[in-house]
Amino acid sequence: MAIAIASGLLAGAAPAFAASEPYPSKAIRLIVPFPAGGGGDTLARLVMTRVGKELGQTLVIENVAGAGGNIGSQAAAKAAPDGYTLLYGTNGTFAINHALYKRTGFDAMQDFVPVAQLTRIATMVVTRPGFPAKTFPELLQVLKANPGKYTVASAGNGTTSHLASELLKASTGVSMVHVPYRGGALALTDLMGGQVDLMIEVMPNVMPAVRAGKLQGLAVTTAQRVPSFPNVPTVAEQGVAGFEVSAWDGIFVPKGTPAEVAAKVHAAIQKALADPALRQQLLDRGAEPVPQSSAAFAQFVRAEYERWGALVKRSGASVD
């Protein structure tokens, strides 16, 4: 009887012991709501593989693509809020989509807690080989002299590349025909092949083609020049004052995740971003590490939600 009682006591204590195990005590899942091999997936893997090492656990990356990132974000929103499911989020999934789609299936402001921003991602104005403009000012001259003649590609309606081109049209008065694709890779393939004329795309996607001479890089859209392309001027310094467009990415956890768990993930991300080798890898891809507090990131996300939402409405883009 004594043995039976003791066994019962131990069995009853097991859940309490498990609950008190220090985080993390098992593998962590990171949902990346985009296809494997894309720009976002590459950045997520670069940073978060290192974060897993800082946390002392395997970090398993799960690509759950679809609906511009909405499908994977929905899955993360429904996950247990225990710190073992993280979400890779972007200005697309946490800002643009909520003005673009009638239903995203999740609430960016209510279903998640922002943990840490990873990077700020520049976009670059690129043109097809043989385009009759070799500088950004020349590009504006050509477009103004030929309204509606040239085409501007995008990764799809309401994407960063689409909205950047809409902002450029509004800021300069140029007229271009928008050609939306189902993803940036398809758009860039046609751009390199000469089927479309220009594009404003995130730098991790266009840099290899620009370096290889397959596309012409005329300007970057950040406030300052990108360190990995110091000879490419900004749009603002080439005559369009105040023009600035940057994509961004970060890590989120489902609402209800313990604050101390989110704090551990945040601390691990800050350590990873401070690593000189990783920092250089990111900069080489046009992504600038942005170490900051979780509170500052949360404030930034809310402001971006409003800013990108206004751009979507201005563009008139929508997805049923």
Side-chain angles (χ1 to χ4, degrees):
M1 182 178 294
I3 293 173
I5 292 172
S7 298
L9 289 173
L10 286 173
F17 175 78
S20 65
E21 286 182 343
Y23 174 86
S25 58
K26 61 181 181 180
I28 302 168
R29 176 177 66 151
L30 172 67
I31 293 180
V32 175
F34 307 109
D41 179 66
T42 299
L43 293 178
R45 290 175 187 272
L46 270 177
V47 178
M48 297 307 291
T49 299
R50 174 60 187 272
V51 170
K53 293 179 181 178
E54 293 289 346
L55 289 170
Q57 284 291 343
T58 301
L59 196 142
V60 180
I61 295 177
E62 183 178 341
N63 295 93
V64 185
N70 290 341
I71 303 300
S73 300
Q74 289 174 32
K78 297 174 182 176
D82 55 9
Y84 290 100
T85 297
L86 312 178
L87 174 66
Y88 175 79
T90 67
N91 59 298
T93 54
F94 275 81
I96 293 173
N97 285 5
H98 299 277
L100 183 66
Y101 290 80
K102 290 182 179 179
R103 290 175 295 276
T104 60
F106 70 101
D107 189 321
M109 298 295 104
Q110 299 297 326
D111 292 343
F112 292 96
V113 175
V115 175
Q117 185 171 352
L118 300 183
T119 67
R120 180 185 301 112
I121 306 163
T123 67
M124 179 181 277
V125 181
V126 291
T127 57
R128 61 171 169 77
F131 189 82
K134 303 304 178 186
T135 66
F136 182 75
E138 288 179 2
L139 171 65
L140 294 184
Q141 290 175 4
V142 169
L143 294 176
K144 288 179 179 179
N146 300 275
K149 176 180 178 180
Y150 294 102
T151 52
V152 58
S154 80
N157 283 318
T159 58
T160 299
S161 52
H162 174 207
L163 298 179
S165 66
E166 291 295 332
L167 184 59
L168 182 65
K169 288 194 289 186
S171 301
T172 62
V174 299
S175 173
M176 303 176 283
V177 178
H178 174 223
V179 182
Y181 283 78
R182 294 179 63 86
L186 294 173
L188 288 172
T189 297
D190 274 6
L191 183 62
M192 288 185 283
Q195 281 75 40
V196 285
D197 297 306
L198 67 145
M199 187 175 184
I200 307 177
E201 176 63 321
V202 290
M203 288 191 68
N205 288 348
V206 300
M207 286 173 70
V210 173
R211 284 190 170 131
K214 297 178 180 179
L215 293 175
Q216 299 179 96
L218 304 186
V220 293
T221 62
T222 40
Q224 289 83 35
R225 295 192 185 194
V226 175
S228 54
F229 272 85
N231 295 326
V232 178
T234 67
V235 169
E237 68 181 293
Q238 296 187 87
V240 189
F243 190 93
E244 181 180 357
V245 175
S246 296
W248 54 265
D249 57 5
I251 298 300
F252 299 76
V253 292
K255 184 179 181 180
T257 300
E260 61 271 19
V261 169
K264 282 190 176 182
V265 176
H266 177 270
I269 291 173
Q270 303 315 300
K271 287 183 180 180
L273 294 179
D275 178 72
L278 176 59
R279 179 179 177 82
Q280 191 58 51
Q281 284 181 299
L282 294 170
L283 289 173
D284 286 344
R285 288 165 171 78
E288 178 189 0
V290 184
Q292 62 175 333
S293 69
S294 295
F297 182 43
Q299 185 176 11
F300 171 77
V301 170
R302 183 166 291 279
E304 287 288 279
Y305 183 91
E306 300 295 336
R307 186 172 81 93
W308 285 102
L311 279 176
V312 172
K313 291 176 182 176
R314 182 190 302 175
S315 74
S318 66
V319 176
D320 293 333

